[in-house]
């Protein structure tokens, strides 16, 4: 299947009908498509680092980085370059092939762009794919990041257009779509997905996937996040989503975006091994790897490798799964890099303001 053969005209009722399939039929359909286009026993591995934490002016109800909520999160300025590079080297040593960097901004200021493009160039020089999530971008900023060599830009739609206003009021749905259009126009790959478990309906989950699948080009990467409930945020007491509904979301994403990488993102720490295994069977083939995402926890690297071995799957390019068999603990590389990183913990790039 080529990009030209992919559908970009999915109707909401078609997607809702997929969600309504008996689970066995849905999983069979999703896994069959997944196996046609990907190695079903290979998982792409990414590492995520917060390069600027907290004090975000947005009011996203799920986010502990919003300045509007008291979550106890310590604010940090932009990380100093060597700290970022130390974390990138650690990620590569632990087997990640892509290094993703996030800053808690509504949008980057122009004065920050030279530093951000320098980070991209330096991380790429380590032999890693690069991804950033910095909030909204204008066309010029997208071109600058593309010219620096940024491979992916993440900007999630979060949920359906209809439910969006219940979660965020400080930027519009069209603002998000516009940023993704600027990213595509600049030639970068799009990473865009959403969050489930925020109180949305099945129709909303179908609406989110419809928006993603009907873009001019399907996102290259589709992160599906399970809500991580953080004390102090408005969604802290939200009722848990049925885990099987999460699996259904993964499966439907695989069916309507068969060439995209579907990533298990936030919320994996609370998922059982069995739930993750079902998600991989349903078509998920990417994870964030490491003990922390932007501000929330994530399974340890060795936990992931143990699960991979039990399932008989390997990280993409396969180099990491053999580390422990060769007598090398994954954590040794991480601890060495962390020792260096600890010395840099108090050093930040001063952009003039949080």
């Amino acid at each position: 299947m080529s990009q030209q053969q992919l559908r970009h005209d999915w109707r909401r009722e078609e997607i809702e009908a997929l969600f309504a399939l008996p689970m066995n039929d849905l999983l069979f359909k999703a896994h069959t498509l997944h196996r046609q286009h990907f190695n079903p026993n290979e998982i792409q591995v990414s590492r995520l680092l917060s390069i600027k934490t907290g004090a975000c002016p947005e009011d996203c109800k799920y986010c502990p980085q919003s300045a509007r909520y008291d979550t106890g999160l310590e604010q940090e300025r932009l990380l100093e370059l060597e700290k970022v590079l130390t974390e990138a080297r650690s990620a590569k040593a632990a087997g990640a092939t892509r290094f993703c960097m996030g800053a808690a901004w509504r949008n980057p200021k122009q004065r920050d762009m030279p530093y951000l493009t320098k980070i991209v160039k330096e991380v790429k020089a380590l032999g890693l794919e690069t991804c950033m999530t910095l909030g909204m971008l204008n066309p010029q900023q997208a071109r600058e990041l593309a010219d620096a060599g940024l491979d992916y830009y993440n900007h999630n739609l979060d949920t359906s257009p209809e439910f969006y206003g219940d979660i965020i009021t400080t930027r519009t749905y069209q603002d998000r779509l516009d940023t993704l259009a600027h990213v595509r126009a600049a030639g970068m790959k799009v990473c865009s997905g959403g969050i489930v478990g925020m109180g949305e309906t099945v129709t909303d989950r179908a609406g989110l996937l419809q928006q993603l699948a009907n873009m001019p080009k399907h996102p290259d990467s589709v992160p599906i996040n399970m809500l991580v409930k953080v004390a102090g945020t408005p969604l802290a007491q939200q009722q848990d989503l049925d885990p099987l509904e999460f699996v259904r979301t993964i499966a439907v994403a695989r069916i309507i975006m068969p060439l995209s990488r579907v990533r298990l993102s936030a919320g994996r720490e609370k998922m059982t091994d069995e739930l993750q295994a079902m998600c991989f069977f349903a078509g998920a083939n990417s994870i964030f790897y490491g003990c922390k995402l932007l501000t929330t926890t994530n399974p340890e690297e060795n936990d992931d490798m143990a699960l991979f071995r039990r399932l008989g799957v390997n990280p993409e390019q396969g180099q990491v799964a053999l580390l422990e068999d060769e007598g090398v603990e994954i954590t040794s590389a991480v601890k060495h890099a962390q020792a260096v990183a600890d010395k840099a913990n108090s050093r930040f790039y001063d952009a003039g303001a949080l």
Side-chain angles (χ1 to χ4, degrees):
M1 180 181 293
S2 68
Q3 287 288 348
Q4 289 72 29
Q5 294 172 315
L6 298 175
R7 284 189 58 184
H8 302 272
D9 60 351
W10 287 92
R11 291 177 288 111
R12 184 75 63 91
E13 56 267 30
E14 288 182 285
I15 301 175
E16 290 181 7
L18 290 173
F19 272 98
L21 285 173
M23 180 63 85
N24 286 341
D25 293 344
L26 177 62
L27 290 180
F28 179 79
K29 187 177 183 68
H31 185 73
T32 299
L33 272 173
H34 182 57
R35 186 172 285 270
Q36 287 175 7
H37 302 295
F38 293 98
N39 181 341
N41 298 311
E42 193 169 80
I43 307 294
Q44 189 274 327
V45 174
S46 298
R47 176 72 68 82
L48 178 62
L49 173 70
S50 177
I51 62 172
K52 186 270 178 191
T53 303
C56 181
E58 305 281 20
D59 68 351
C60 308
K61 289 184 178 179
Y62 53 80
C63 186
Q65 302 207 63
S66 173
R68 298 163 186 257
Y69 313 132
D70 182 11
T71 62
L73 184 69
E74 184 177 349
Q75 300 174 13
E76 296 178 351
R77 296 188 298 273
L78 266 172
L79 292 184
E80 189 266 347
L81 177 61
E82 189 52 43
K83 167 67 172 175
V84 177
L85 294 179
T86 296
E87 295 288 348
R89 294 184 191 104
S90 169
K92 185 176 181 180
T97 57
R98 187 180 308 163
F99 193 64
C100 306
M101 296 159 278
W105 282 324
R106 176 177 170 81
N107 53 274
K109 296 180 174 63
Q110 199 55 39
R111 69 189 182 207
D112 295 316
M113 293 306 296
Y115 182 65
L116 294 171
T117 56
K118 182 175 177 61
I119 290 176
V120 171
K121 292 174 183 177
E122 295 284 347
V123 172
K124 280 187 71 71
L126 299 177
L128 289 162
E129 287 186 317
T130 53
C131 178
M132 281 186 163
T133 179
L134 312 168
M136 295 183 289
L137 296 180
N138 61 40
Q140 176 185 343
Q141 291 170 332
R143 287 193 298 271
E144 289 180 40
L145 291 170
D147 289 345
L150 187 66
D151 297 297
Y152 291 81
Y153 193 80
N154 167 262
H155 200 60
N156 290 335
L157 296 182
D158 286 349
T159 189
S160 69
E162 296 83 1
F163 189 61
Y164 182 83
D166 292 345
I167 303 298
I168 303 153
T169 67
T170 49
R171 75 173 79 170
T172 68
Y173 211 80
Q174 190 59 50
D175 288 334
R176 292 180 181 266
L177 294 173
D178 289 345
T179 288
L180 294 175
H182 301 330
V183 169
R184 280 194 301 271
M188 289 182 286
K189 295 177 181 178
V190 167
C191 174
S192 187
I195 306 170
V196 299
M198 298 190 293
E200 77 286 344
T201 64
V202 173
T203 297
D204 290 315
R205 291 192 282 279
L208 165 66
L209 298 183
Q210 180 189 27
Q211 289 290 318
L212 295 167
N214 286 353
M215 288 179 179
K217 182 177 183 294
H218 291 174
D220 298 273
S221 181
V222 180
I224 304 295
N225 299 272
M226 179 78 87
L227 174 68
V228 177
K229 293 178 283 188
V230 179
T233 63
L235 295 182
Q237 303 303 317
Q238 180 61 46
Q239 184 176 352
D240 289 343
L241 181 72
D242 180 347
L244 293 182
E245 287 302 307
F246 186 81
V247 177
R248 287 183 180 274
T249 306
I250 295 291
V252 175
R254 169 53 63 219
I255 291 167
I256 67 176
M257 293 175 281
L259 299 186
S260 301
R261 292 202 176 274
V262 178
R263 177 179 299 131
L264 296 187
S265 297
R268 261 198 329 119
E269 187 190 37
K270 299 294 185 181
M271 296 180 190
T272 65
D273 288 353
E274 293 79 7
L275 175 56
Q276 292 187 69
M278 285 190 72
C279 289
F280 293 143
F281 186 84
N285 60 346
S286 177
I287 63 168
F288 277 125
Y289 182 60
C291 59
K292 189 175 182 182
L293 300 183
L294 289 175
T295 60
T296 56
T297 55
N298 202 44
E300 295 281 354
E301 286 96 341
N302 280 346
D303 292 340
D304 287 326
M305 288 302 101
L307 176 59
F308 280 12
R309 283 195 299 275
R310 289 172 63 201
L311 298 179
V313 302
N314 293 303
E316 191 174 75
Q317 300 181 4
Q319 72 269 32
V320 182
L322 300 177
L323 285 177
E324 288 191 342
D325 292 339
E326 296 170 356
V328 180
E329 287 287 342
I330 292 172
T331 50
S332 66
V334 177
K335 287 179 179 178
H336 173 73
Q338 187 61 47
V340 178
D342 288 343
K343 298 179 181 178
N345 270 340
S346 61
R347 297 203 302 273
F348 298 95
Y349 166 76
D350 190 356
L354 286 173

